[in-house]
């Protein structure tokens, strides 16, 4: 079972009770993911030998990378939106007895010419340091968050994370005696925000969608040629795993959920035929249908099909029999890493 023992949407009463427990001595940890499209926060306490209980959360679409692909810099409007979200996160932390805060920023801040200057502003708004992490660490954190979903029969896992400004692919050895090990990773500077800005309407047309699939697939082929992943898949024991809004949306459509449910989706094994049918259903909905769907909504309309095109490229290059859907990512990886370090015996003393 996944290590997260309470969903981030836990009722206020449950959360307040958990805070009372925290005040009695249970340490609290916070993790912030400042992404190209979203700002997300989790606050949690350790639960069991290798899990945690989510006590509070925050998620807001901020479109920090808006305009970045054309100007090379973060815009004033985007930075203002991010600052407002970070202030809201900081206010949450100020009310809680949080022992440690781990905050990271990803592709938008890596690429922007004014990224470093913005981070100083972001840290003032948030009230804690924010690290701009390299693509490899981003893949490592995604691997760490999804590791509890690996199965004993797995030899390898191919994990993808479709982000706002980039897509990370992690090739993982899972048959280690202790923790899984990252064999190799690739970060392609194409995500849902970059594709929308380049030509937002392209993925709503059949030919445009197919062009994006071909373009992205070409980027992945070079990675496959180095690691022979398709060959490993044919030999068996390789799990394809996805962590992003794209794959959780695919799962929501495939399961015909009346509304999004993390409990129903996280860790769900989606047979590839079901995923293919869900992809076709999404492509046929049009903007109005996507906006009206309870698993999508108007804020995400523009991003769904670009994400689906990236997913279709992954599906084309690596034709697995199924897909494990992961509703978890950098925040969960940061929390698990921090809690593991806390449990590690100290040398000396």
């Amino acid at each position: 079972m996944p290590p997260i023992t309470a969903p981030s949407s836990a009722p206020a009463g449950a959360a307040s009770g958990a805070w009372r427990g925290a005040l009695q001595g249970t340490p609290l940890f916070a993790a912030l993911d400042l992404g190209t499209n979203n700002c997300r926060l989790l606050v949690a306490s350790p639960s069991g030998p290798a899990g945690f209980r989510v006590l509070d959360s925050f998620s807001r679409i901020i479109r920090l990378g808006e305009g970045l692909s054309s100007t090379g810099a973060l815009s004033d409007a985007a930075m203002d939106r991010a600052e407002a979200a970070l202030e809201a996160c900081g206010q949450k932390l100020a009310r809680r007895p949080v022992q440690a805060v781990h905050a990271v920023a990803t592709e938008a801040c890596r690429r922007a010419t004014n990224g470093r200057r913005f981070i100083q502003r972001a840290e003032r708004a948030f009230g804690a340091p924010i690290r701009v992490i390299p693509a490899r660490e981003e893949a490592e954190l995604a691997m760490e968050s999804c590791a509890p979903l690996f199965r004993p029969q797995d030899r390898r896992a191919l994990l993808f994370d479709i982000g706002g400004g980039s897509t990370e692919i992690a090739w993982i050895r899972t048959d280690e005696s202790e923790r899984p090990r990252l064999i190799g990773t690739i970060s392609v500077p194409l995500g849902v925000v970059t594709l929308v800005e380049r030509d937002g309407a392209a993925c709503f047309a059949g030919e445009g969608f197919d062009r994006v699939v071909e373009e992205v697939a070409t980027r992945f082929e070079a990675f496959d040629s180095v690691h022979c992943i398709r060959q490993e898949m044919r030999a068996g024991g390789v799990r394809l795993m996805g962590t992003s809004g794209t794959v959780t949306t695919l799962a929501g459509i495939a399961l015909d959920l009346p509304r999004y449910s993390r409990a129903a989706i996280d860790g769900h094994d989606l047979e590839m035929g079901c995923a293919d049918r869900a992809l076709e259903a999404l492509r046929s909905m049009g903007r109005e249908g996507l906006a009206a769907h309870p698993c999508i909504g108007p804020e995400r309309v523009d991003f769904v099909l670009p994400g689906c095109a990236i997913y279709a490229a992954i599906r084309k290059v690596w034709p697995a029999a199924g897909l494990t859907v992961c509703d978890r990512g950098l925040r969960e990886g940061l929390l698990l890493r921090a809690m593991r370090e806390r449990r590690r015996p100290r040398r000396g003393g």
Side-chain angles (χ1 to χ4, degrees):
M1 292 294 292
I4 304 171
T5 57
S8 58
S9 57
S16 62
W19 289 125
R20 286 194 293 273
L23 290 168
Q24 294 172 8
T26 303
L28 302 186
F29 296 80
L32 177 93
D33 172 12
L34 181 61
T36 302
N37 201 37
N38 295 275
C39 177
R40 299 185 177 101
L41 174 77
L42 280 182
V43 182
S45 62
S47 175
F52 58 81
R53 176 179 175 80
V54 174
L55 304 174
D56 205 355
S57 67
F58 177 92
S59 181
R60 182 182 297 175
I61 294 176
I62 56 170
R63 305 190 311 281
L64 179 60
E66 183 178 57
L68 177 61
S69 57
S70 58
T71 67
L74 304 175
S75 71
D76 289 339
M79 290 189 288
D80 288 345
R81 289 192 298 267
E83 183 177 30
L86 289 164
E87 285 177 348
C89 291
Q91 290 167 8
K92 279 182 173 286
L93 296 187
R95 297 192 294 267
R96 312 300 185 188
V98 176
Q99 175 179 318
V101 180
H102 299 268
V104 298
T106 56
E107 182 70 5
C109 293
R110 284 197 293 261
R111 290 178 54 195
T113 56
N114 58 345
R116 262 182 209 284
R117 191 163 68 251
F118 167 68
I119 287 297
Q120 295 174 350
R121 175 180 170 182
E123 289 177 336
R124 288 194 296 271
F126 182 52
I130 301 174
R131 287 192 304 121
V132 180
I133 59 173
R136 184 178 179 88
E137 185 174 356
E138 192 172 346
E140 288 171 343
L141 287 169
M143 174 183 72
E144 185 128 15
S145 72
C146 295
L149 300 178
F150 297 152
R151 312 294 164 78
Q153 66 269 28
D154 298 336
R155 296 184 303 108
R156 303 282 188 274
L158 184 68
L159 173 64
F160 64 89
D161 182 359
I162 302 170
S166 63
T167 297
E168 271 64 49
I169 304 287
W171 179 227
I172 303 163
R173 179 169 183 171
T174 62
D175 56 358
E176 297 285 339
S177 58
E178 296 181 4
R179 291 194 307 276
R181 179 171 63 86
L182 189 62
I183 301 171
T185 183
I186 184 174
S187 179
V188 175
L190 292 172
V192 297
V193 174
T194 49
L195 289 176
V196 165
E197 293 201 340
R198 194 177 71 180
D199 186 359
C203 290
F204 283 87
E207 290 184 2
F209 186 93
D210 293 340
R211 281 197 304 271
V212 173
V213 172
E214 290 298 326
E215 176 189 357
V216 179
T218 300
R219 304 282 192 111
F220 294 149
E221 284 287 358
F223 186 67
D224 183 79
S225 67
V226 171
H227 296 286
C228 304
I229 298 169
R230 270 197 301 264
Q231 181 177 331
E232 292 272 10
M233 282 184 163
R234 286 194 291 269
V238 177
R239 182 171 298 278
L240 180 65
M241 309 179 76
T243 169
S244 68
T246 298
V247 292
T248 57
T249 299
L250 277 171
I253 299 298
L255 296 173
D256 196 24
L257 297 180
R259 65 183 63 85
Y260 186 79
S261 167
R262 182 187 186 278
I265 284 176
D266 185 45
H268 181 76
D269 291 328
L270 196 59
E271 191 271 328
M272 201 55 77
C274 293
D276 290 344
R277 289 190 291 275
L279 177 60
E280 291 308 311
L282 285 168
R283 293 186 63 185
S284 68
M285 284 183 189
R287 288 182 181 276
E288 289 187 5
L290 292 170
H293 198 283
C295 290
I296 301 169
E299 277 196 315
R300 297 183 56 229
V301 166
D302 290 331
F303 305 119
V304 172
L305 292 189
C308 285
I310 297 172
Y311 162 75
I314 294 167
R315 169 88 170 89
K316 179 175 182 176
V317 177
W318 295 297
L323 168 67
T324 298
V325 181
C326 313
D327 187 353
R328 53 184 68 206
L330 301 191
R331 297 175 301 170
E332 290 84 357
L334 285 166
L335 289 171
L336 288 169
R337 178 186 286 181
M339 292 174 187
R340 187 180 70 248
E341 290 297 324
R342 180 182 176 274
R343 288 191 296 267
R344 183 172 294 167
R346 295 179 181 273
R347 293 184 177 181

